[in-house]
Amino acid sequence: MHSNSSSPKASWALKAAALGTLLFLHVPMWIIFLYTFTPDERTFTFPLPGFTTKWFGIAFQREDLWRALSLSFKVAAIATLAALVLGTLAAAAVYRSKFFGREAISFLLVLPIALPGIVTGIALRTAIGGLDIPFSFWTIVIGHATFCVVVVYNNVLARFRRMHGSQIEASMDLGANSFQTFRYVVLPNLATALLAGGMLAFALSFDEVIVTTFTAGQQSTLPIWIFSQLSRPRDRPVTNVVATFVILLTFLPIFFAQKLSAQSSDTEGESK
Amino acid sequence: MLTRISTFFHQHPRLVLFLLLGPPMIYMTVVYLGSLFMLLVNSFYSIDDFTGMVIREFTLKTYAQLFTPANREIFVRTASMAAAVTFVDALIAFPLAYYIAKFASPRLKTWLLIAVTIPLWSSYLVRVYAWKLILAKEGILSWFINLLHLDGVLEWLLSFEAIGGSSLALSPIGMFIVFVYIWLPYMILPIQTSLERVPGSLLEASSDLGAKPFQTFRNVILPLAFPGVVAGSIFTFSLTLGDFIVPLVLGNSKFFIGQAVYSYQGTAGNIPLAAAMTMGPVLIMIIYLLVARRLGAFDAL
Amino acid sequence: MTNPSTPAIRFDQVSRYFGEVKAVDHVDLEIRDGEFFSMLGPSGSGKTTCLRMIAGFDKPTSGHIHLYGQDVSNLPPYERDVNTVFQDYALFPHMNVGDNIAYGLMIRKVPKSERTKRVNEMLELVKLSGYAGRKPSQLSGGQRQRVALARALINHPKVLLLDEPLGALDLKLRQQMQVELKSIQKRVGITFIFVTHDQEEALTMSDRIAVFNEGKIEQVGTPAEIYERPASTFVAGFVGTSNLIVGELAKRITGSDQTFSVRPEKIHLRAVGDKIDGNMISVDGVVRDVVYLGLYTRYLVQIDEGNDLVVIEQNLKTTSMDVLSVRGQKVRLQWHKDHISRVGG
C-alpha cells in the first residue's frame, strides 16, 4: 500500500477473494436457469442429459400453480398496501414530534424481523388457535403486514430525515393547510421512498414462507407450493420453471428499489 | 372546510400525534405483541397426554420437558451450527466488504452494493432450492468433485457420524454450506458499513508510522471492523437459530430447534411445547443482543 | 387600510418555555408599520423563537401576539398574513423556480395567466429574469436566496420575516444583498423583521433594533441609540467593542460609582503631559499590547487605576513600525465628555 496514492490498489489476493464471494452469492441462482431445460424428470443429473423447453408449457398449464400465484399476489398487494399506510403514519409521527417512547416504537416495528421468523410464526399460530380464528386469506395478510411495516417505515423515515430543511413550514407559511402541504410538498418528497419501500415490502411478502406456514392453514401460496416440492419433490421440472420465474419476478422490483434509494442519496449530495 | 379541519388539528397537536401513531401502534400491539403474549402464556400450559388437549393451567412441566437429553441435544446442535455459520460467514464476508468499503470506485461500489443486496431480498426458498440441485448426489458439485478425483475425500467426510449423511444433500455439511450461503449478505453489509467509517487517513497514518500492510490490517482495520462483524453475527446467528426450512429440506432425522417447533405444533399438535421451545431462541437472542450492544454493534447496523 | 398607528406586531407579555428552558421570557415589543426591524442577539437568546412565534411555527406558552391589532397567537401559519424567508431557504427541490415562487398563488387558486405575470414581475424585482425554468439545485446560494425572497414577497404579506437569510453567503455577496434587501424593502413598503446575530448587519440595515439576551429584550432603539447609549453592559459588549468604566476610575472621572461605557474609536492616544482641554476627559496608562490591522491599530492600555481600555486609531499617517514602537510606553488617553455614557441610563 502506498501512502502517497489517493486511491490505494487492492492486492490480487483480496480481489480474488472478493470476486470469489461475489460468485458464491450469484452463481447458484444461475444454475436453476440451466435446469429449466433438462429433459430429466426424476433426478438432478449433471451434465444435463439433453435439452428441452417443454416444461415452460407444462408449468403454464398447471392450475394449482396459477391458484398459488394469484393468492401470493393478492396477499402481497394487500399486505404492501397496509404496510404503506401504517409505516408512513408511524414514520410521520416519529419525524414530526418528539415524544416519550419514540425509541420503543422503532424497536416494536423492527422486532418482527429481528426475532427469528419462527417466533413470529408460532406466536401468530398460537393466537389464531387460542382465539379459534379460522385460517383464511386474512390470517396470511395480517401476518405479512407485521413484518412489512418496518420496511416502509425505515424507507419513509430516512427520507423524512433527509428532506431539505423547513419545507413543511415553508409550505404552511405560504398559505397551504396541512392537507395541501401533504399533497404538494410531502408526497412528492416521499414518492420514491414510498415506491422503494412498497416494492421491497411486496418482494418480502411475495416469497415469505416461514410465517406463512403457520398462518395459511390448508391454503397454498407460491412459496408454500415450492416448499412442499422441496421436502417431497414430485414435479421437479415444473419447480425449476417456477423458481426461475420467482427469481425474475422479484429481481426487477428489488433492483429498481435499490437503484431508487441509491439515486436519491446521490442527488441529495449534489444539491448540498 | 379542509382548512378548518387542518386548523383544528394545528391547535391540537397531541390529537394529531394520536391519530398518526394510533393505527400502526394498535395494529402492532394487538396483532404482534398480543400474539407474543399468547405464545408466552401457552408455554406455561401443558398438554394432556391421553386426549392431546391443551390444559389451560399454569405449570412449568412443559419447560421441564425442554431439558430431556433429546431436547438438550437439539439446542446444542442448533447453537453450534449457528456459531459455525456465523464464524465462516464473517471469514468469507470480510474480503468483499473490505474491497467495497476501501478500494472500489464510487461507481463500482454502487453496483457491488446492489449485487450484495439483491440476494438478500430475493426469494429465500429459491435460493435454498438452488442448493438442492447443486448438492444432489448426481448434481453439479459431485460431478465437479469427480472431475477433480476428490470423491474419496467427500466420502470420507460424509462418513463422519456428526456431520455426514448419505449424500451432501442430506447431511449437516450440506446444511452448513446452505446456511453460510443464505445469510452471507447479512454479514457483508454491516462489515462494509463499519469499514466505511474507518477514515483513509488512519490507514495512511499507520503505514506512515512504519506498519506493514498486514500489521495495519491486524492492528487498525480489524479492531475497527469488529462492531460490524458483531452486528452481522446478530443476523446470521438469529436466522440460523430459527430456521426450519433448511433442516427440513437438507437435514436428516437429527432435529434443529426450528424443525422441532414446527413438528411439535404441526403433527404433534403440542402448542405448549412448541411455545416453550421457541422461548429458547428468544432468550439466546436477548442475551446475544445485550452482549452485542456492549460491543458497540448497534452503531454498525 | 389599517390604521397607521396600529403596530404591525405587538408582543404582550409573551413567553415560550421548552421544559425548564425559558427561550422567551415575558417579552413586550411593538414593531411599527413599514419599518425595517432587526432582532439582534447571540444564538439561543430567543430571537429566532420570537420570529417563529410570529410566523406561527411555534406558539407562546403564555402571552399574546397581535398582527395589526388581531390576536394571532393561536392561528396556524397559513392563516396569518405573514411570510418567511428561511435561513436554509427551504425551496421545494421538486419544483422549478417559477413554481416555487408561484406556490402561494397556486394555493390561493390564482388563475395561471395571472400567476405567470406576477412570477415574472417578482423575478425582475430580484434580478433573476429568465430563471423560471431552473431547478433550485442548479442555482447558487445567492440566487436561491433571491428565489426565497421572491416566493415570500409575491403574496404581498403584511409582514416579511427573515431568519438570518444572509448567514450562508460569503462576505462580499452578503454586503451586496444587505444593500439590495434594504432597497427592496423601501420599494415594496412592507414591514421587514430581520433576525441576525451579526451586529454590523443589524446596524447597517435597520430602522430599529431589539437586542435579545437570555430570552429577554435588553434594549430597543435606532442603530445610533443602541451604539451610542447602550442600555446595559450586555448591549455595550455585544454591539461593537466597548470599554466599561467602573470602580475607582469611574468615581474619579464622573464622581459616581456606576458603570459607564466609552467606544474605543472615541479615545485619542496622546503623549503624557499633553494639554488637557476642559471638555476632555483624560487618563494615563501604559500600552500593554499593540495590534496592527492595516486600516487601523488596536491598542490595549492599562490605566493607572487598574482598568484596561481598548483604543482604536486609524493609521492615517503612521506605519506599522511607528505603532509597534509604542508598546510599553506611558501614554495619556483623552476623550470628549459627551462620549462617555452611563450604562442603563
Side-chain angles (χ1 to χ4, degrees):
Chain A
M1 199 182 294
H2 306 285
S3 57
N4 55 352
S5 70
S6 54
S7 62
K9 287 270 177 290
S11 70
W12 66 268
L14 178 66
K15 275 186 189 162
L19 184 67
T21 309
L22 212 56
L23 289 177
F24 178 57
L25 274 176
H26 286 270
V27 170
M29 289 203 274
W30 306 343
I31 287 173
I32 302 177
F33 284 93
L34 201 64
Y35 271 93
T36 53
F37 301 109
T38 185
D40 183 357
E41 229 174 300
R42 248 172 261 122
T43 62
F44 296 123
T45 309
F46 189 88
L48 306 187
F51 181 88
T52 174
T53 53
K54 68 173 176 181
W55 303 119
F56 291 97
I58 292 172
F60 190 78
Q61 282 167 2
R62 288 283 294 260
E63 276 295 314
D64 55 336
L65 270 179
W66 283 109
R67 269 199 308 276
L69 181 65
S70 108
L71 179 62
S72 278
F73 252 112
K74 281 188 218 148
V75 167
I78 306 236
T80 302
L81 203 66
L84 281 173
V85 174
L86 297 176
T88 307
L89 285 176
V94 167
Y95 171 71
R96 72 189 290 279
S97 37
K98 293 180 170 56
F99 52 89
F100 182 73
R102 232 161 49 131
E103 300 291 310
I105 285 168
S106 298
F107 183 73
L108 175 60
L109 291 178
V110 84
L111 211 54
I113 56 168
L115 285 177
I118 194 161
V119 177
T120 309
I122 191 78
L124 288 167
R125 169 74 184 79
T126 312
I128 290 168
L131 300 174
D132 280 326
I133 301 167
F135 290 110
S136 70
F137 173 73
W138 292 104
T139 52
I140 307 178
V141 169
I142 283 172
H144 283 201
T146 54
F147 54 80
C148 286
V149 172
V150 68
V151 181
V152 176
Y153 170 80
N154 278 344
N155 266 279
V156 172
L157 186 61
R159 182 59 54 84
F160 263 129
R161 289 192 170 140
R162 277 211 308 251
M163 211 167 122
H164 259 284
S166 350
Q167 284 185 54
I168 295 173
E169 287 184 347
S171 167
M172 295 181 81
D173 186 66
L174 293 166
N177 64 36
S178 317
F179 303 104
Q180 289 165 321
T181 300
F182 182 77
R183 177 168 158 212
Y184 295 117
V185 175
V186 179
L187 210 53
N189 266 293
L190 293 186
T192 51
L194 287 171
L195 196 60
M199 284 196 283
L200 291 178
F202 190 92
L204 199 63
S205 163
F206 189 75
D207 60 44
E208 209 290 329
V209 67
I210 298 201
V211 175
T212 318
T213 324
F214 294 99
T215 57
Q218 298 304 314
Q219 306 165 89
S220 182
T221 62
L222 197 61
I224 290 197
W225 187 90
I226 299 174
F227 178 45
S228 67
Q229 291 292 329
L230 277 176
S231 34
R232 283 177 300 280
R234 278 186 301 267
D235 310 286
R236 290 175 196 236
V238 176
T239 313
N240 293 335
V241 173
V242 172
T244 305
F245 172 75
V246 170
I247 292 180
L248 293 177
L249 199 71
T250 46
F251 177 82
L252 290 176
I254 295 159
F255 182 78
F256 283 119
Q258 290 301 324
K259 270 306 243 188
L260 228 53
S261 346
Q263 259 166 18
S264 64
S265 51
D266 283 353
T267 49
E268 198 70 16
E270 276 163 28
S271 60
K272 257 187 188 153
Chain B
M1 180 60 198
L2 280 178
T3 301
R4 229 179 293 147
I5 298 172
S6 167
T7 303
F8 179 76
F9 283 155
H10 181 84
Q11 286 154 354
H12 300 85
R14 284 190 174 274
L15 177 71
V16 177
L17 183 62
F18 180 78
L19 287 177
L20 288 176
L21 217 47
M25 284 308 109
I26 290 171
Y27 185 83
M28 290 308 286
T29 313
V30 171
V31 174
Y32 189 68
L33 291 184
S35 300
L36 280 182
F37 179 74
M38 286 195 75
L39 181 69
L40 186 68
V41 169
N42 265 275
S43 69
F44 290 107
Y45 290 160
S46 61
I47 198 149
D48 189 306
D49 289 333
F50 298 106
T51 61
M53 299 293 284
V54 174
I55 305 168
R56 299 191 172 191
E57 272 169 31
F58 178 87
T59 172
L60 287 172
K61 217 167 72 189
T62 311
Y63 275 102
Q65 284 177 43
L66 294 184
F67 295 95
T68 59
N71 279 334
R72 272 212 310 256
E73 216 174 279
I74 291 176
F75 277 112
V76 172
R77 188 179 299 128
T78 312
S80 320
M81 176 64 91
V85 167
T86 298
F87 179 75
V88 171
D89 263 342
L91 218 57
I92 60 179
F94 205 94
L96 183 57
Y98 187 41
Y99 184 80
I100 295 176
K102 286 282 159 257
F103 298 101
S105 65
R107 221 187 138 70
L108 181 61
K109 181 181 282 187
T110 311
W111 284 105
L112 285 175
L113 283 176
I114 289 179
V116 174
T117 325
I118 282 176
L120 185 110
W121 285 100
S122 59
S123 176
Y124 155 85
L125 267 177
V126 169
R127 297 177 70 224
V128 175
Y129 179 68
W131 281 94
K132 184 107 178 153
L133 300 180
I134 296 168
L135 296 175
K137 203 166 194 150
E138 66 285 1
I140 190 163
L141 195 62
S142 300
W143 173 80
F144 194 69
I145 287 172
N146 270 319
L147 208 67
L148 298 174
H149 300 291
L150 291 172
D151 22 347
V153 180
L154 180 63
E155 262 165 48
W156 176 71
L157 272 175
L158 287 174
S159 67
F160 282 99
E161 162 82 35
I163 57 170
S166 59
S167 79
L168 272 178
L170 285 173
S171 68
I173 307 181
M175 281 170 60
F176 171 73
I177 296 173
V178 176
F179 273 135
V180 166
Y181 166 77
I182 295 278
W183 310 136
L184 185 57
Y186 291 91
M187 187 58 100
I188 298 174
L189 293 174
I191 297 183
Q192 181 257 337
T193 311
S194 65
L195 282 174
E196 205 75 56
R197 290 181 199 155
V198 180
S201 56
L202 212 62
L203 308 185
E204 284 169 18
S206 168
S207 59
D208 222 36
L209 294 169
K212 296 210 173 64
F214 179 73
Q215 287 171 311
T216 306
F217 181 80
R218 242 216 80 187
N219 299 320
V220 181
I221 297 170
L222 217 49
L224 288 168
F226 190 66
V229 176
V230 178
S233 76
I234 296 174
F235 292 110
T236 55
F237 200 85
S238 157
L239 290 166
T240 311
L241 218 54
D243 192 278
F244 66 88
I245 304 278
V246 173
L248 269 176
V249 174
L250 296 159
N252 45 30
S253 54
K254 291 181 186 128
F255 270 14
F256 280 71
I257 296 177
Q259 219 173 347
V261 171
Y262 180 71
S263 77
Y264 289 152
Q265 69 84 31
T267 45
N270 191 343
I271 289 215
L273 186 56
M277 193 98 188
T278 318
M279 291 302 147
V282 171
L283 194 70
I284 296 173
M285 279 325 291
I286 287 171
I287 295 168
Y288 203 111
L289 288 173
L290 289 176
V291 174
R293 199 171 62 178
R294 272 277 174 93
L295 297 172
F298 287 109
D299 302 334
L301 283 178
Chain C
M1 263 330 280
T2 44
N3 183 345
S5 68
T6 314
I9 297 288
R10 190 157 68 81
F11 272 46
D12 183 8
Q13 287 290 302
V14 172
S15 298
R16 178 70 177 98
Y17 301 158
F18 297 102
E20 292 288 292
V21 182
K22 297 177 176 181
V24 173
D25 192 14
H26 292 95
V27 163
D28 283 316
L29 178 65
E30 279 192 11
I31 298 169
R32 296 172 197 146
D33 179 40
E35 75 177 330
F36 195 120
F37 189 90
S38 289
M39 294 181 172
L40 174 67
S43 61
S45 60
K47 57 189 194 306
T48 298
T49 309
C50 281
L51 191 85
R52 291 175 57 79
M53 288 192 291
I54 299 173
F57 307 141
D58 214 335
K59 283 181 217 172
T61 310
S62 65
H64 295 276
I65 297 171
H66 299 267
L67 172 66
Y68 287 96
Q70 185 201 0
D71 186 347
V72 295
S73 318
N74 209 21
L75 287 184
Y78 50 86
E79 296 201 333
R80 305 179 183 207
D81 211 349
V82 168
N83 286 122
T84 310
V85 175
F86 291 83
Q87 189 170 12
D88 59 5
Y89 319 136
L91 299 180
F92 305 126
H94 54 287
M95 299 181 190
N96 63 26
V97 168
D99 290 341
N100 260 288
I101 297 177
Y103 189 82
L105 302 181
M106 186 265 290
I107 293 294
R108 246 171 282 130
K109 305 200 165 66
V110 173
K112 190 112 193 182
S113 55
E114 160 100 22
R115 256 157 36 192
T116 318
K117 196 178 122 243
R118 279 170 66 182
V119 165
N120 286 333
E121 283 170 17
M122 275 299 143
L123 283 170
E124 208 165 304
L125 180 75
V126 298
K127 300 178 185 161
L128 279 177
S129 301
Y131 279 74
R134 303 246 187 134
K135 280 286 177 88
S137 56
Q138 298 168 302
L139 302 182
S140 72
Q143 289 168 332
R144 286 182 208 180
Q145 155 87 75
R146 288 153 198 263
V147 175
L149 187 64
R151 185 177 70 174
L153 282 175
I154 199 169
N155 307 298
H156 300 306
K158 285 180 179 158
V159 173
L160 183 77
L161 308 175
L162 302 106
D163 184 9
E164 308 222 12
L166 308 182
L169 306 181
D170 62 50
L171 182 64
K172 213 165 161 196
L173 200 54
R174 199 156 70 214
Q175 286 169 340
Q176 186 193 331
M177 279 305 293
Q178 286 173 4
V179 177
E180 242 174 80
L181 265 182
K182 185 75 186 167
S183 86
I184 287 174
Q185 193 253 343
K186 282 214 180 99
R187 235 181 309 162
V188 297
I190 292 172
T191 311
F192 274 34
I193 302 179
F194 189 89
V195 160
T196 180
H197 63 267
D198 183 337
Q199 41 112 357
E200 199 182 304
E201 206 164 87
L203 292 175
T204 332
M205 303 170 74
S206 320
D207 294 322
R208 288 195 308 147
I209 301 172
V211 183
F212 279 75
N213 182 37
E214 295 182 343
K216 290 182 187 290
I217 295 181
E218 297 263 343
Q219 186 175 9
V220 182
T222 63
E225 284 167 354
I226 300 265
Y227 191 77
E228 306 283 345
R229 286 189 294 282
S232 67
T233 52
F234 175 80
V235 177
F238 190 74
V239 182
T241 321
S242 199
N243 290 304
L244 292 182
I245 295 175
V246 290
E248 281 291 297
L249 184 61
K251 213 173 236 171
R252 180 170 76 72
I253 299 172
T254 64
S256 148
D257 60 357
Q258 281 170 296
T259 305
F260 296 85
S261 82
V262 57
R263 296 286 176 185
E265 71 277 11
K266 307 286 192 202
I267 306 177
H268 303 287
L269 209 60
R270 299 274 184 265
V272 181
D274 238 37
K275 203 164 72 70
I276 301 170
D277 188 316
N279 288 325
M280 301 295 269
I281 291 165
S282 172
V283 295
D284 291 348
V286 178
V287 177
R288 286 283 166 230
D289 200 7
V290 180
V291 182
Y292 179 73
L293 293 161
L295 188 60
Y296 55 89
T297 301
R298 198 169 67 214
Y299 304 88
L300 184 71
V301 180
Q302 189 180 29
I303 304 303
D304 298 344
E305 276 88 350
N307 308 50
D308 283 339
L309 291 187
V310 175
V311 179
I312 287 173
E313 289 228 307
Q314 265 190 288
N315 295 321
L316 294 175
K317 292 176 185 145
T318 43
T319 67
S320 62
M321 297 298 283
D322 300 332
V323 299
L324 290 172
S325 67
V326 183
R327 189 184 309 219
Q329 291 189 6
K330 279 197 75 95
V331 290
R332 172 161 294 174
L333 303 180
Q334 294 191 341
W335 64 88
H336 198 273
K337 278 199 306 212
D338 292 352
H339 290 150
I340 185 165
S341 61
R342 185 156 65 85
V343 173

